[in-house]
Amino acid sequence: MTSKIFISHASEEHDLAEHIANYLESRKEYDFKAWYAPRDIRAGYDYDQEILRGIEQCRVFVLLLSAHSDASVHVKRELYDAVENGKRVICLEVERINPQNLRYLLGMKHRLNWLERRDETLDELIRNIIDEISEPQDQDKDFKDDTENVNSSEISQVQEVSQTHEEVKVNASGKIFLSYTNSRRKSAVKIAEYLERSGLETWYASRDISAGVSHVEAVTSALRECRAVVLLLSKEADNSQIVESEIAVAVSNNKPVFCVKFDKFEPEKLKYFLADSKYFDTRKNYNEAINELVSALKGENKPEPPKPQKFSLKKFLWIAAVVVIAVIALIFARNEPKNYDIAALAEHGTPAEIREAVKAGVNFNNNSLFTAVTSNTPEAVKAIIEAGADVE
């Protein structure tokens, strides 16, 4: 069965995209069919619709990451559509950059480095493609659900705004950002209402993204402006590229993440991001867990400062006696004469060790000097003489 591989690239990387496509298709044993523009755009068909068709039919989406592709609104649309449709995304780094415009959609995806090994990296790319194809392909319905009122043509129009690279205003400053999957939407709304009744302002995508605003830009801006993130943790969230991207952006912007648990599930893919997060388990007592969450968000559950203790003369004298005994023991330990092996020092001791021994009163005789001359370094011999030892 032929596996279609969509190659997303900026126009500046056209030749490289062509080379990679030819390399993949030359490996006949894998039956790969690469798809990239403009080669695979059918004559007489709408260009944008052909791009969408190529993404829809592909098994794996390969992004050639560079400064050009990071700045390209067309590449951003392609990656957006791939993530929206649950496509496997592999990032091939053809230039060392820290992506800005594609950062949210890429999340913390591993990047294959084309710069160092060139075509050897393409063999690794093939192995990654095979691994991705071998796994069942799930549609990421959570992302589509939050953009259910935006069709493909509107997405293209909306994302033209990103050409100016201006920050989208989302009015999320100081608010609590809720990150969740579609399976926990009702829980998210319920928790948001409870937090707001408790005096905390909240922000979540399905309610607070205005019509005509890019979903990606709005979420990214909200995560930068918010003061904390509440993650409704579930197995679906752990496997969601969208949730992973949200938490990655939050952590990179130093936002605290609070996790609300509904089942026994322990995160795997999000484990790295949640290492310092506080968990609130709703399984035993839902109301108690949410009340604890509210207190944590308000900063009300900070540990109380230790209470000052009353002065105790008996305790003071006991501590003072222990300190005096320790000081006396230390003095005696320092003054205790150290035993030196003169023969060993002469044979392989360093100049510094020899000088230390001389200062401690060690006298080197003719035999020691002879040993040093025959076995040790000239610097050690010189140290025996210059340190003031009595050489007979």
Side-chain angles (χ1 to χ4, degrees):
M1 177 180 176
T2 301
S3 298
K4 289 189 177 181
I5 314 300
F6 188 99
I7 302 176
S8 178
H9 62 93
S11 58
E12 290 82 359
E13 277 86 42
H14 172 270
D15 291 345
L16 178 57
E18 183 179 33
H19 172 73
I20 293 172
N22 291 337
Y23 191 93
L24 293 177
E25 292 172 346
S26 69
R27 303 295 294 271
K28 301 298 183 181
E29 66 269 31
Y30 299 117
D31 197 18
F32 290 145
K33 174 65 174 73
W35 196 107
Y36 70 97
R39 185 192 73 174
D40 295 297
I41 300 293
R42 294 176 297 179
Y45 285 81
D46 179 78
Y47 195 97
D48 289 347
Q49 291 302 317
E50 285 292 280
I51 293 289
L52 294 175
R53 181 183 66 87
I55 295 173
E56 182 180 358
Q57 293 179 355
C58 77
R59 294 291 305 278
V60 175
F61 182 98
V62 175
L63 169 67
L64 306 188
L65 181 63
S66 67
H68 295 300
S69 61
D70 187 48
S72 170
V73 65
H74 302 291
V75 171
K76 187 173 185 178
R77 288 177 192 162
E78 292 168 0
L79 181 58
Y80 181 98
D81 196 68
V83 173
E84 181 191 23
N85 285 281
K87 300 299 180 181
R88 310 291 189 182
V89 177
I90 299 176
C91 184
L92 186 63
E93 191 175 44
V94 300
E95 183 181 351
R96 291 190 183 280
I97 67 163
N98 182 22
Q100 298 301 318
N101 296 305
L102 302 180
R103 180 180 177 184
Y104 169 72
L105 290 170
L106 287 176
M108 292 294 288
K109 292 188 182 302
H110 174 66
R111 303 177 195 173
L112 300 179
N113 191 332
W114 156 264
L115 299 171
E116 295 179 357
R117 296 184 295 151
R118 301 287 171 168
D119 282 358
E120 290 183 21
T121 305
L122 298 185
D123 293 328
E124 186 178 354
L125 173 63
I126 290 174
R127 290 193 293 271
N128 277 260
I129 291 174
I130 293 172
D131 289 342
E132 295 291 357
I133 291 175
S134 64
E135 294 183 11
Q137 187 170 348
D138 297 324
Q139 299 283 328
D140 196 337
K141 297 180 180 179
D142 304 313
F143 193 66
K144 297 183 73 173
D145 185 80
D146 278 346
T147 56
E148 58 189 357
N149 296 321
V150 185
N151 59 39
S152 298
S153 61
E154 288 173 334
I155 288 174
S156 298
Q157 295 171 2
V158 166
Q159 296 217 2
E160 290 288 353
V161 176
S162 64
Q163 284 182 304
T164 62
H165 305 304
E166 293 180 357
E167 188 79 6
V168 175
K169 302 300 180 183
V170 293
N171 191 29
S173 179
K175 295 184 179 181
I176 309 301
F177 183 103
L178 270 67
S179 178
Y180 57 92
T181 60
N182 187 51
S183 63
R184 289 294 175 188
R185 174 187 289 274
K186 292 182 179 179
S187 298
V189 173
K190 183 178 179 181
I191 290 175
E193 292 174 350
Y194 191 92
L195 295 181
E196 289 171 353
R197 287 198 302 270
S198 302
L200 295 167
E201 293 185 284
T202 64
W203 193 100
Y204 58 94
S206 61
R207 181 192 68 184
D208 293 307
I209 296 182
S210 304
V213 176
S214 163
H215 179 98
V216 174
E217 299 292 344
V219 169
T220 303
S221 296
L223 285 165
R224 289 172 180 163
E225 292 180 19
C226 74
R227 68 180 182 87
V229 174
V230 171
L231 168 63
L232 276 62
L233 187 60
S234 64
K235 187 174 183 180
E236 292 80 10
D238 194 47
N239 291 321
S240 169
Q241 295 183 45
I242 304 305
V243 171
E244 179 186 358
S245 297
E246 290 174 353
I247 302 304
V249 173
V251 172
S252 66
N253 282 276
N254 298 316
K255 306 297 181 181
V257 180
F258 299 85
C259 299
V260 179
K261 292 185 66 174
F262 295 89
D263 49 44
K264 197 176 180 180
F265 168 77
E266 295 296 334
E268 291 296 331
K269 295 181 180 179
L270 296 176
K271 186 177 180 180
Y272 168 79
F273 300 110
L274 304 178
D276 298 324
S277 299
K278 185 173 178 58
Y279 288 77
F280 301 87
D281 196 334
T282 62
R283 289 175 295 168
K284 293 182 179 179
N285 190 316
Y286 178 89
N287 290 333
E288 183 178 332
I290 301 304
N291 284 331
E292 290 178 358
L293 172 64
V294 170
S295 297
L297 291 169
K298 289 184 174 181
E300 295 174 353
N301 59 348
K302 296 179 180 178
E304 296 183 2
K307 297 180 180 179
Q309 298 183 358
K310 295 181 179 180
F311 177 78
S312 171
L313 179 60
K314 183 178 180 180
K315 187 175 182 179
F316 172 78
L317 293 175
W318 183 84
I319 295 174
V322 172
V323 171
V324 169
I325 294 172
V327 171
I328 293 173
L330 181 61
I331 292 173
F332 274 100
R334 287 186 175 180
N335 292 334
E336 184 178 350
K338 184 176 180 180
N339 294 323
Y340 289 93
D341 187 339
I342 297 177
L345 280 172
E347 184 176 357
H348 50 72
T350 65
E353 292 172 338
I354 292 171
R355 292 189 185 98
E356 179 187 349
V358 171
K359 289 181 180 179
V362 174
N363 294 322
F364 291 90
N365 55 28
N366 289 335
N367 292 334
S368 301
L369 181 59
F370 178 77
T371 301
V373 170
T374 57
S375 304
N376 212 329
T377 64
E379 289 79 7
V381 175
K382 186 178 179 181
I384 293 176
I385 298 172
E386 290 184 351
D390 295 330
V391 181
E392 299 175 358

